[in-house]
């Protein structure tokens, strides 16, 4: 991941923080999605809403596809508005990252006392995921 790619993730989090600070917590997920689309546009961020993630099997595209809440500069963004994130919520984002060959993802939860965000990096050569934190993200910056 380059420094710019990390900054793109940082920008995505900043827009979500503004939405959370303006609307508060525990509204319907779709309200946050609509507000995020507006906030991203106000910030000049070219986000795609309901991004189709095609799936293939042995080079043949499947009829089934996933739809990410948002896609921004190579980052898959998923929204939740629940009391607490679960492994099922995380698995949704991680599966999207793996099958789409997009190596960065952010999971937001607007249902907690403070906006909760988790930034992930997919390492395809190891088929593993890393939760990026303030302590470790520098280890994964390549330039």
């Amino acid at each position: 991941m380059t420094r710019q790619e990390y900054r793109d993730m940082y920008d995505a989090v900043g827009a979500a923080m503004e939405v959370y600070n303006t609307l508060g917590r525990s509204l319907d997920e779709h309200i946050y999605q609509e507000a995020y689309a507006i906030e991203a546009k106000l910030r000049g961020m070219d986000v795609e809403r309901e991004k189709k993630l095609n799936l293939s099997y042995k080079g043949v595209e499947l009829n089934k596809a996933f739809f990410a809440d948002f896609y921004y500069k190579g980052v898959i963004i998923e929204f939740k508005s629940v009391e607490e994130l679960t492994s099922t919520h995380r698995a949704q984002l991680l599966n999207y990252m793996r099958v789409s060959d997009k190596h960065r993802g952010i999971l937001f939860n607007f249902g907690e006392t403070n906006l909760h965000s988790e930034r992930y990096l997919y390492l395809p050569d190891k088929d593993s995921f890393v939760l990026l934190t303030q302590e470790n993200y520098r280890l994964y910056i390549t330039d």
Side-chain angles (χ1 to χ4, degrees), residues 1 3 6 132-141:
M1 167 177 67
R3 288 186 195 286
Y6 186 77
L132 297 173
T133 65
Q134 288 297 327
E135 291 77 34
N136 74 357
Y137 79 92
R138 288 179 188 89
L139 298 172
Y140 299 96
I141 294 179

Side-chain angles (χ1 to χ4, degrees), residues 50-116:
E50 293 295 317
K51 170 73 171 174
K52 183 177 181 182
L53 304 172
N54 294 315
L55 306 171
S56 65
Y57 177 74
K58 294 189 176 184
V60 178
E61 189 170 310
L62 301 177
N63 292 325
K64 175 69 177 161
F66 290 135
F67 290 86
D69 290 338
F70 288 94
Y71 181 77
Y72 175 64
K73 293 186 175 182
V75 181
I76 295 174
I77 302 170
E78 279 298 308
F79 281 28
K80 300 297 175 202
S81 184
V82 294
E83 190 174 311
E84 184 177 307
L85 291 174
T86 67
S87 59
T88 302
H89 299 129
R90 291 177 181 95
Q92 178 186 9
L93 173 65
L94 302 180
N95 283 328
Y96 286 4
M97 291 168 64
R98 178 182 286 124
V99 301
S100 69
D101 199 32
K102 307 300 180 204
H103 300 163
R104 294 173 296 138
I106 305 172
L107 179 60
F108 290 111
N109 184 16
F110 290 86
E112 297 183 39
T113 306
N114 295 303
L115 176 67
H116 182 89

Side-chain angles (χ1 to χ4, degrees), residues 15-32:
M17 289 176 69
E18 180 63 23
V19 169
Y20 182 88
N21 290 335
T22 302
L23 295 178
R25 69 182 172 121
S26 299
L27 299 175
D28 185 77
E29 182 179 311
H30 296 96
I31 293 170
Y32 294 112

Side-chain angles (χ1 to χ4, degrees), residues 33-58:
Q33 291 171 349
E34 188 172 346
Y36 187 83
I38 293 167
E39 183 63 32
K41 185 175 182 178
L42 290 171
R43 291 171 178 239
M45 297 168 59
D46 187 21
V47 299
E48 294 179 61
R49 191 167 178 190
E50 293 295 317
K51 170 73 171 174
K52 183 177 181 182
L53 304 172
N54 294 315
L55 306 171
S56 65
Y57 177 74
K58 294 189 176 184

